[in-house]
Amino acid sequence: MDINVAVYEDNNALRESLSFLIKGSRLLTFVGAYPNCLNIVENCKSNMPDVILMDIDMPGISGIEGTRLVKEAFPSVNVMILTVYEDSEKIFDALRAGATGYLLKKSSAIQIIEAIAELAGGGSPMSSVIARKVLEHFSKPSCKIENEYALTDREYDILKRLVAGDSYKMVADFCNISIGTVRCHIYSIYRKLAVNSKAEAIIKAIKEKLV
């Protein structure tokens, strides 16, 4: 199945390079490349990408705010941040905005293509240095917060698998249910936890020690 991919990057050379990379992959379908996020909602309406490669530092509207706009209008679109920023504040701002992947621009072409495929399949790819920062953040001592979200046993099981990094298919296989049923449970989890993305759900689950 082809994966529709759009690129938001203000550096002309890098934007062209990423566009060629996507066009040259058998797994991916190029649907557009843009130097800013000023018309991102309209662009998505026209092109309906499955995955967006998103720079953070762009003129007018930042990639983080662009991510938030996309996720509010099109929750099913996956946004992968592709940036030079490694600081924790940028990482968590992007995840809170709804990004479900975070790669550094120094990632290889193969790593970017594999990450896009993983993201489209329900995974949450991150560069190793970013994943380490996330783990370090949540390994700090914190007081246990009482869980009052009324998650069912099945929802707890699925949330545990998401935190473990499983894709929707892996969760379905583990729980012996269909991917459609997994999606229904995940939407219920999002509603109960008051989050809008898998990344937000994972962050909340770890921070509040729900799993």
Side-chain angles (χ1 to χ4, degrees):
M1 181 179 69
D2 287 341
I3 302 168
N4 293 335
V5 183
V7 176
Y8 287 82
E9 167 61 58
D10 65 332
N11 181 289
N12 293 335
L14 181 55
R15 187 172 66 253
E16 290 182 9
S17 177
L18 290 170
S19 298
F20 283 126
L21 175 64
I22 295 164
K23 291 174 181 177
S25 172
R26 296 178 181 178
L27 295 174
L28 312 179
T29 298
F30 176 78
V31 296
Y34 309 91
N36 57 62
C37 294
L38 296 178
N39 299 304
I40 192 166
V41 174
E42 291 78 8
N43 296 339
C44 287
K45 284 180 181 177
S46 299
N47 300 321
M48 287 310 298
D50 299 305
V51 173
I52 290 175
L53 294 183
M54 181 74 77
D55 185 25
I56 286 182
D57 192 9
M58 287 184 286
I61 297 176
S62 73
I64 291 174
E65 181 58 27
T67 298
R68 186 175 292 108
L69 291 171
V70 169
K71 296 302 291 188
E72 287 176 354
F74 306 99
S76 65
V77 174
N78 290 291
V79 178
M80 181 159 65
I81 300 297
L82 188 63
T83 183
V84 297
Y85 292 113
E86 299 182 29
D87 60 283
S88 298
E89 184 178 354
K90 295 287 187 183
I91 295 168
F92 290 106
D93 283 348
L95 294 177
R96 281 191 289 266
T100 42
Y102 199 111
L103 292 187
L104 297 178
K105 286 183 176 178
K106 60 186 178 183
S107 301
S108 69
I110 293 175
Q111 288 174 323
I112 292 173
I113 291 175
E114 289 179 344
I116 292 171
E118 181 183 348
L119 191 62
S124 297
M126 290 187 184
S127 294
S128 58
V129 65
I130 301 301
R132 180 180 291 274
K133 287 179 180 292
V134 173
L135 290 174
E136 286 175 352
H137 177 82
F138 290 119
S139 67
K140 296 176 183 177
S142 60
C143 296
K144 183 176 178 61
I145 300 175
E146 188 68 24
N147 169 37
E148 298 180 353
Y149 298 110
L151 296 174
T152 66
D153 290 341
R154 175 65 82 187
E155 288 167 351
Y156 270 118
D157 288 342
I158 291 174
L159 186 57
K160 288 177 184 177
R161 301 319 305 171
L162 294 181
V163 171
D166 287 3
S167 66
Y168 287 7
K169 185 179 186 304
M170 293 168 68
V171 173
D173 292 342
F174 181 86
C175 296
N176 196 28
I177 55 179
S178 70
I179 292 179
T181 301
V182 170
R183 293 184 186 278
C184 288
H185 283 303
I186 288 175
Y187 288 141
S188 177
I189 291 170
Y190 288 178
R191 178 177 54 81
K192 291 180 179 180
L193 297 185
V195 298
N196 297 308
S197 71
K198 181 162 66 173
E200 287 185 38
I202 291 171
I203 289 173
K204 193 162 193 173
I206 297 174
K207 187 174 184 179
E208 301 191 11
K209 299 183 178 180
L210 301 179
V211 298

